[in-house]
């Protein structure tokens, strides 16, 4: 059974940084694309960043150049480094891999003023 284990969320002050981790268990990580999404209360789910097994990256509009996605195939883990966090970045951050299409439970990021 494929599982995604996310970590790294928490409470951070505005302007601070966080690094989220997404570890894949039970799948061949090095053939997946891994992506981070976020959903704030009352708002639509939005893609933040993705990285293919060739390390090709793509970023959504929500964070632009304030985040960087990387992956460590040896650790079956993808990372989302976020900096200069703003109040609007408060959301549940969810990891997804495809194929197959598997989602994690999410990790909450709360930015405090």
């Amino acid at each position: 059974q494929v599982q995604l284990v996310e970590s790294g969320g928490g409470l951070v002050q505005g302007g601070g940084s966080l690094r989220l981790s997404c570890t894949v268990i039970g799948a061949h990580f090095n053939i997946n694309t891994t992506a981070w999404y976020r959903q704030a209360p009352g708002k639509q789910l939005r893609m933040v960043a993705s990285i293919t097994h060739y390390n090709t990256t793509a970023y959504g509009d929500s964070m632009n150049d304030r985040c960087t996605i990387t992956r460590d195939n040896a650790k079956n883990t993808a990372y989302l480094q976020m900096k200069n966090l703003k109040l609007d970045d408060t959301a549940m951050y969810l990891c997804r891999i495809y194929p197959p299409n598997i989602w994690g439970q999410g990790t909450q990021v709360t930015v405090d003023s």
Side-chain angles (χ1 to χ4, degrees), residues 1-6 21-25 27 32-39 44-50 92-107:
Q1 182 177 359
V2 180
Q3 293 182 331
L4 306 186
V5 179
E6 298 131 317
S21 300
C22 174
T23 299
V24 179
I25 301 171
N32 303 125
T33 292
T34 305
W36 284 97
Y37 293 76
R38 73 182 192 181
Q39 188 164 30
Q44 289 186 332
L45 187 69
R46 298 185 70 180
M47 195 274 282
V48 178
S50 65
M92 180 67 74
Y93 285 72
L94 300 110
C95 181
R96 174 194 179 204
I97 64 165
Y98 54 94
N101 187 27
I102 305 291
W103 290 81
Q105 295 294 315
T107 184

Side-chain angles (χ1 to χ4, degrees), residues 15-94:
S17 299
L18 280 176
R19 188 178 78 160
L20 307 183
S21 300
C22 174
T23 299
V24 179
I25 301 171
H28 295 292
F29 179 75
N30 60 351
I31 63 171
N32 303 125
T33 292
T34 305
W36 284 97
Y37 293 76
R38 73 182 192 181
Q39 188 164 30
K43 296 187 177 180
Q44 289 186 332
L45 187 69
R46 298 185 70 180
M47 195 274 282
V48 178
S50 65
I51 184 166
T52 71
H53 57 289
Y54 295 118
N55 282 320
T56 301
T57 58
Y59 293 91
D61 295 334
S62 53
M63 297 194 74
N64 292 324
D65 59 352
R66 296 187 295 116
C67 70
T68 303
I69 189 169
T70 57
R71 61 190 291 152
D72 184 338
N73 288 340
K75 296 182 178 180
N76 281 7
T77 300
Y79 304 96
L80 183 69
Q81 179 70 49
M82 304 184 291
K83 63 181 181 180
N84 192 21
L85 286 163
K86 304 176 181 180
L87 293 177
D88 287 347
D89 295 320
T90 295
M92 180 67 74
Y93 285 72
L94 300 110

